[in-house]
Amino acid sequence: MAMTAVRRIGLTLSGSQTMHEAIQLLAEHGIAAVDVVDEHGRTIGRCTQRMLLWAAAREMDRTTPIRNVLAAFSSEAGREDSGAETMNMEVDSAAAAELERLRHELEEAHRLAETMKTVLDAAYEGVVVVDEGGVVREINRAYCQFLGIRREEAIGKHVTEVIENTRLHICVQSGIPERGYIQKIYGQPMVVHRIPIWRDGKVIGAIGMLIFQGVSEVYEIFRRLQELSREASRKEKKEAKPQETAASAPKGIERIIGRHPSIAAVKQMIRRAARVPSTVLITGESGTGKEVVARAIHEAGPHADGPFVSVNCAAIPESLLEAELFGYEDGAFTGAKKGGKPGKFQLAHGGTLFLDEIGDMPLAMQAKILRVLEEKKVEKVGGLYETKVDVRIIAATNKPLEEMVRNGTFREDLFYRLNIIRIHLPPLRERKTDIPALLAYHMDRMCRQFGVALKSFTKEAMEVLVHYSWPGNVRELVNVVEWLISMVEGEKVEREHLPSYLSTVQPAASSLPNGGVKMADRWKEMVYQSERERIAAALVAAGGNKAEAARRLGIHRSTLYEKLKKYGL
């Protein structure tokens, strides 16, 4: 029969009784413990099986009075119990601390939410937030007052039921930010911003801002109203377009389109680089916009009023590169222009010289460039004296210069002279959230340039374009936009309008467990085919004029000649 810890009424053990008697008593009555009393019948403790086992393990004499056993057990084993109790107390204390931490975090989140609500309600601008379905999740007091509604009447409703002529739900679908747009509300033209909210590469909502005042917004209204009036007359439109282009063309940091963290870091580097005359080295894949960044640095810096001269070191034959950079005197070589010619360094005096594809510069020329950078003087080919030049140098390359230095194909001293401020441009595939904004910007820019109606992208077309890997980066994106402007008749770009290699887009090769190389080769072949088609279309559109075709393609004429030879056109 199993022993139990049931307390038997009237059953006690005298403190003077021995340990042997205690064992017998527990065994006889089938119990696990019994109270111990003194000679006056007062309880002084409790004898348990655990206590007797503890005493036996320590080889205590069975004739030892139970009061002695109880005292010894209480002093030693009690410490073990105390340790266990302390451990339990520590666990309880840790749990209490965790609960306290969570309580503090909850209070902090509540305070932050209250602060944000206070900020929103204190703002003069109207602010509304919608989710991915276009449903209003938050709206501030200013917007409610302007609309003449209560907050409760807007929350949970689709934004089209709350705000007249809104495009916030369209902004969510397209992922394209719309800043400085005019929206009529209650018949009054208002300036609004519509900004998509991205998370993990997906648009989860949008923020709409109703601007009540601001010089830049008023100017935007004026410019858009001018645009509407120009559409009434073709002749006036043509006359006004060059002025409009010069006035509205982005300058400095505004040239860089995008809000991805990597591009935000690039913009910060541009601001810092523009403040000092140090040499800048821009690296990145072909087509990422290295010249755009170079122009942004130039226009944001102290040399902004000076010339910006660009040289493609890979496009100029080695035999002519020195004369192109440093100039030449009359009769310096056979075929030299009479009277000589100034070089790019002299033409860039007081401004910026952009050396593109510096990694393709011959070693002999690298030594001469290094000398100019150190002495700030140039000597024309066939010349007898040096000319001092004040030029800021910005170099760019898509080659791994560090590896080239190790291999001896690029001078180490020139590399360190160029690599003072380093700006690396990420490929477009690493900042996919910027793709909608880039597409919208270049579509708007080129539609104005070509004098055609603005086109917009459907959600399905935009999804394809966002998920495409863009091996040609921003240059390829610009070329695709120009192709769409030329080929799409209507004002909506549908999925079926996209070039075939885009509309059949597959997952990126890097994500495929097998066949990644084959997929990369396939993409490369599709890109080559697309580029060949675009070059051919540009030539047709330019009536065979190669200079005009190069301008339409956004590449140097020498680069166009190379591609014509490459594709057999």
Side-chain angles (χ1 to χ4, degrees), residues 439-453:
L439 287 166
Y441 170 77
H442 290 292
M443 177 65 78
D444 180 76
R445 177 181 64 83
M446 281 193 251
C447 283
R448 295 178 191 277
Q449 179 183 342
F450 299 155
V452 299

Side-chain angles (χ1 to χ4, degrees), residues 508-525:
S510 60
S511 66
L512 298 176
N514 297 306
V517 176
K518 292 181 179 179
M519 180 59 69
D521 290 341
R522 181 183 172 192
W523 257 332
K524 188 175 181 180
E525 181 182 345

Side-chain angles (χ1 to χ4, degrees), residues 211 213-221:
I211 309 300
Q213 57 184 350
V215 175
S216 59
E217 287 77 16
V218 172
Y219 172 78
E220 181 66 10
I221 293 175

Side-chain angles (χ1 to χ4, degrees), residues 109-152:
H110 180 71
R111 281 195 298 269
L112 180 60
E114 288 296 319
T115 301
M116 292 303 298
K117 189 175 185 305
T118 302
V119 170
L120 285 175
D121 285 340
Y124 288 107
E125 293 81 4
V127 181
V128 61
V129 180
V130 300
D131 60 18
E132 58 186 359
V135 176
V136 177
R137 293 304 176 193
E138 188 58 71
I139 185 169
N140 72 341
R141 183 181 303 161
Y143 219 142
C144 288
Q145 290 175 346
F146 179 77
L147 296 174
I149 61 174
R150 291 183 293 111
R151 180 176 178 276
E152 295 75 18

Side-chain angles (χ1 to χ4, degrees), residues 423-440:
I423 299 178
H424 179 73
L425 298 184
L428 193 53
R429 63 181 173 275
E430 293 181 5
R431 54 182 189 110
K432 287 184 175 289
T433 55
D434 285 342
I435 291 175
L438 284 164
L439 287 166

